[in-house]
Amino acid sequence: MNISIIGTGIYSIALALNISNDYQITMWSENKDLVNQYPKTHSLNPLTDVSLPSNIKLTNNIQDSIKDADLIIIGTSAKYVKEICNNIKDYYQPSIPICIASKGIENDNPVFLSDIIQSILKTKHIAVISGPTFAIDLINKAPCTLCVSSTSKKASKLIDIALSNNNLNLKFNQDIYGTQICGSIKNVIAIASGMLDGLGYNESTRAFFLTEALSSIQDLLIKLKCNPNTILTAAGVGDLILTANSSKSRNYKYGFLIGKKASKEELNEYLNNNTTEGYYTLISFQNLLKIRNIKSPLINTIYNIIINNENPQILIDFLINKK
């Protein structure tokens, strides 16, 4: 099987390393220097010093990256997914399944990534993978789980073949929208959890907050006509527990800075130097809720803190006064 992975971020690398050496993998990067040095080093420095096996090739030609692919995995930041689709549409065959490893919602127009892909590439073979997996843990072959969501049997089967191994357990469902909601909104919740840490609150308060967050996400799933039980999957509570409780999370770290009352310059510098999907997801999700006339007091409170620069302490006021 030939597999194309679009993007060479640390999570894309982690996924590539979890695919059997029996398969040929082509990764795409827009960084020409990275591509030129790769044949000598088999490393994707400066992104990571992990040495990659010989079955993984690198190219900066988007057409070559998907040539002869049986499965395409998109692992770029969510804000680049639309651009990627437009760049490959002239070479793409709709029968080839697309696997979305990106987390988030389109920034300019608040729609789900699966809808962007379906609209541009005209394929029904779309899947989403999401779950409690830090890239470094996947790279180190720690036992992990991922949720695979798709209404396409072909997509689910190929992802199962590609990613199932002795360390990675896959769970399947058909709630592709609910899985995307959980996988994106957990980054927003992680920012808020980090804020509580930065404010000096302890684990009990963060557990209080996460309990309310789970209830709020489930309510959103219902209002957005998704399966409310998706919150109980690896893409829901599993990913939330991981991301919203760990200083490894870039979203959590960003929230910690907000809670510590970091300056606007410090916060902007962090956003410029770290992929903090929760920040952009928050803006997109707030727009989505506004368009669909859906109310979420928790998301609105977090939005007012992060975007409208209100005092992070209002998150505690929200928790205490919520009935």
Side-chain angles (χ1 to χ4, degrees), residues 99-270:
C99 174
I100 307 169
S102 309
K103 306 275 197 316
I105 299 174
E106 166 70 13
N107 293 330
D108 298 330
N109 181 23
V111 295
F112 295 103
L113 300 184
S114 60
D115 288 334
I116 293 171
I117 290 171
Q118 197 282 325
S119 175
I120 296 174
L121 299 181
K122 312 299 181 186
T123 180
K124 296 180 180 179
H125 301 293
I126 301 171
V128 175
I129 57 172
S130 188
T133 49
F134 283 140
I136 190 62
D137 296 330
L138 283 175
I139 289 172
N140 290 331
K141 305 295 184 181
C144 293
T145 184
L146 277 174
C147 179
V148 181
S149 184
S150 180
T151 56
S152 163
K153 292 182 179 179
K154 181 177 182 180
S156 295
K157 181 178 180 180
L158 287 181
I159 292 169
D160 191 19
I161 293 171
L163 288 175
S164 287
N165 58 51
N166 292 332
N167 306 297
L168 187 56
N169 177 267
L170 304 181
K171 304 287 188 182
F172 295 84
N173 71 47
Q174 295 184 336
D175 187 14
I176 194 166
Y177 290 112
T179 298
Q180 287 176 96
I181 290 168
C182 288
S184 59
I185 206 68
K186 56 95 178 181
N187 287 325
V188 174
I189 302 302
I191 293 177
S193 184
M195 284 193 293
L196 293 174
D197 191 3
L199 286 166
Y201 290 102
N202 57 25
E203 291 90 344
S204 297
T205 303
R206 293 205 304 277
F208 176 17
F209 166 68
L210 291 178
T211 302
E212 294 298 332
L214 283 168
S215 177
S216 294
I217 296 171
Q218 187 172 56
D219 183 57
L220 284 172
L221 291 174
I222 293 170
K223 290 177 177 177
L224 289 165
K225 304 187 184 308
C226 300
N227 185 344
N229 291 327
T230 300
I231 192 61
L232 302 176
T233 68
V237 64
D239 210 357
L240 193 64
I241 289 172
L242 177 71
T243 312
N245 276 305
S246 176
S247 58
K248 289 182 183 179
S249 164
R250 288 164 291 194
N251 295 285
Y252 187 96
K253 289 179 181 178
Y254 179 65
F256 182 81
L257 290 174
I258 295 174
K260 294 289 283 186
K261 309 291 180 62
S263 68
K264 187 175 182 180
E265 291 73 22
E266 288 177 285
L267 293 174
N268 287 337
E269 181 181 1
Y270 187 87

